[in-house]
Amino acid sequence: MTISIIGAGPGGLTCARILQKHGIPVTVYDRDPHPRARNQGGTLDLHADDGQLVLREAGLLDEFFALARPEGQEMRKLDPAGNLVEHYVPAEGELFKPEIDRGQLRGLLLDSLEPGTVRWGSGLEKVEAPGVLRFADGATVETDLVIGADGAWSRVRPAVSAAVPEYSGITFLEAWFDDVENAHPELAALVGQGSAMAADGNRCLFAQRNSGDHIRVYVIQRLPADWVGSRGTPELRAGLLDAFSGWSPSMLRMITDNDGPYVDRPLYVLPVPHTWEHTPSVTLLGDAAHLMPPLGVGVNLAMLDACELALALAGSSSFVEAVEVYEATMLPRSEKFARQLENGAEGLLEVD
Ligand SMILES: Cc1cc2nc3c(=O)[nH]c(=O)nc-3n(C[C@H](O)[C@H](O)[C@H](O)COP(=O)(O)OP(=O)(O)OC[C@H]3O[C@@H](n4cnc5c(N)ncnc54)[C@H](O)[C@@H]3O)c2cc1C
């Protein structure tokens, strides 16, 4: 019996790791040509009551704490003038939701897998028929169970559901800053060791410290999904300065002083609830199953799904039974979170 996971993100890799810990063979397919093919993006907080429990089950909690940044739990709320309005400083030894860079988490999970588990450069085109995977290069693979862990634009999802992600109306423009203590000392001081945000009801700047002296800023606005289009950096910057007119020069540094281009991240969400009829040879986890606004639960839920599915597969007499057991918990849980976070992207713009 063969298990194929599509997607080497945090969900797919966690599932593979826990399956292998239970002696169950698995192959992971990812469309990236190699593990460092693209920048993995910003920082993630793993919670003590889900993400960290999963890493303990995976036997990787100590390795996680060796990389994690508990100081990243610091949170500053600023106003558009750059004044500090609220300040949360984590207590000594507080470990409820330390931060880790996305790339570090991927590396940690990848290093824990048996060599050759991940087949890079394998973009799935579709699940052609039950148990038949067709890849972008024309290759086909037969498998008894396919686990769609391929994120927002899952190519596995159509095998169980007709749902497609919808634009939330909110766009993040990501800007990054390197070597911040030397090259951007004012910004480094404004942001501190964790996150700093300011919103005025229509616009928000959200900055996060990453490891290695990097800061990432998300410029958050209500915009048409195609607003960025073919605009280059100077045009985008001019448009942003216009949109944020009236904000203080110290805050506008987050828009003007970035290293490299802006990265366009329009936020899409799956309809709520997103559910499907049980299908014996296919299931989904993580963003493929329940894409929500990025409000600090996505990776934790993806890893929790992955852990529960792997344990169900290890503890059941058949794949069919395991997938039923997993979906009976995962689908209602994700509906509950998705309802809580519905329209949550709009909430990022609110002053309070
Ligand atoms: C700006 C931003 C900030 C966020 N911040 C947080 C946060 O602080 N905390 C938090 O909990 N969550 C956060 N999230 C959400 C979190 O990133 C996701 O919920 C999480 O990454 C989902 O993990 P996943 O494994 O399901 O999917 P992904 O991380 O999307 O991984 C999917 C994998 O599948 C691969 N893939 C895609 N298509 C194919 C294909 N056709 N064939 C083969 N492989 C494919 C991709 O290369 C990728 O490796 C944030 C999201 C965004 C956009």
Side-chain angles (χ1 to χ4, degrees):
M1 301 291 275
T2 54
I3 301 177
S4 302
I5 297 176
I6 309 299
L13 294 176
T14 300
C15 191
R17 163 67 181 173
I18 298 176
L19 286 172
Q20 289 186 347
K21 239 184 126 228
H22 288 265
I24 301 173
V26 57
T27 305
V28 181
Y29 299 88
D30 199 283
R31 69 178 172 196
D32 285 351
H34 57 82
R36 284 167 300 284
R38 66 186 162 91
N39 189 310
Q40 290 295 305
T43 175
L44 297 165
D45 52 326
L46 294 194
H47 306 164
D49 55 2
D50 39 38
Q52 291 178 38
L53 291 182
V54 171
L55 286 176
R56 190 167 68 191
E57 187 65 42
L60 298 172
L61 194 57
D62 290 345
E63 287 89 337
F64 165 71
F65 280 126
L67 294 168
R69 289 174 281 110
E71 68 279 12
Q73 297 169 107
E74 180 182 349
M75 179 76 206
R76 298 179 182 196
K77 189 173 164 193
L78 308 170
D79 66 15
N83 300 310
L84 191 59
V85 181
E86 279 175 38
H87 193 186
Y88 178 77
V89 182
E92 182 76 26
E94 184 174 326
L95 292 174
F96 183 68
K97 45 178 200 165
E99 297 279 340
I100 185 168
D101 282 11
R102 206 177 278 260
Q104 290 177 317
L105 179 63
R106 195 194 218 192
L108 171 69
L109 290 163
L110 276 174
D111 289 348
S112 75
L113 297 177
E114 292 164 13
T117 301
V118 182
R119 307 269 167 88
W120 299 104
S122 302
L124 184 80
E125 194 160 299
K126 62 177 172 180
V127 178
E128 195 164 73
V132 182
L133 307 177
R134 176 166 292 278
F135 289 89
D137 62 2
T140 55
V141 167
E142 294 197 9
T143 188
D144 296 297
L145 176 64
V146 55
I147 299 172
D150 49 344
W153 301 100
S154 172
R155 292 295 186 107
V156 179
R157 192 189 299 125
V160 293
S161 149
V164 284
E166 293 163 1
Y167 181 53
S168 67
I170 304 289
T171 284
F172 279 26
L173 267 193
E174 183 183 312
W176 70 81
F177 300 81
D178 300 326
D179 189 20
V180 290
E181 294 298 340
N182 291 316
H184 305 282
E186 299 88 356
L187 181 68
L190 192 70
V191 173
Q193 295 306 309
S195 305
M197 71 172 298
D200 69 357
N202 290 312
R203 305 156 292 185
C204 173
L205 292 176
F206 191 103
Q208 281 191 308
R209 179 78 69 144
N210 293 199
S211 73
D213 235 7
H214 298 287
I215 286 178
R216 258 168 226 270
V217 170
Y218 301 104
V219 185
I220 307 173
Q221 298 177 87
R222 284 183 205 97
L223 288 171
D226 58 358
W227 182 75
V228 169
S230 57
R231 290 182 167 92
T233 301
E235 202 184 338
L236 286 173
R237 187 167 285 144
L240 293 176
L241 282 174
D242 194 32
F244 282 78
S245 66
W247 287 47
S248 73
S250 63
M251 295 298 289
L252 293 179
R253 275 200 187 98
M254 297 192 196
I255 293 173
T256 54
D257 291 10
N258 49 313
D259 300 306
Y262 303 100
V263 181
D264 183 22
R265 297 196 187 278
L267 296 188
Y268 284 79
V269 292
L270 274 169
V272 184
H274 177 231
T275 186
W276 58 88
E277 289 296 316
H278 172 69
T279 305
S281 61
V282 189
T283 193
L284 306 175
L285 62 78
D287 280 5
H290 45 68
L291 181 64
M292 300 175 202
L295 294 166
V297 298
V299 75
N300 289 280
L301 288 184
M303 293 172 72
L304 193 56
D305 295 351
C307 177
E308 289 178 350
L309 177 57
L311 293 180
L313 287 163
S316 303
S317 54
S318 72
F319 286 178
V320 178
E321 180 192 322
V323 170
E324 269 174 353
V325 166
Y326 158 70
E327 290 177 352
T329 307
M330 183 277 287
L331 289 171
R333 177 179 58 227
S334 48
E335 180 181 344
K336 188 188 89 180
F337 276 98
R339 287 210 185 283
Q340 282 171 8
L341 301 185
E342 225 174 346
N343 306 319
E346 270 285 324
L348 289 166
L349 302 174
E350 287 169 14
V351 178
D352 297 316

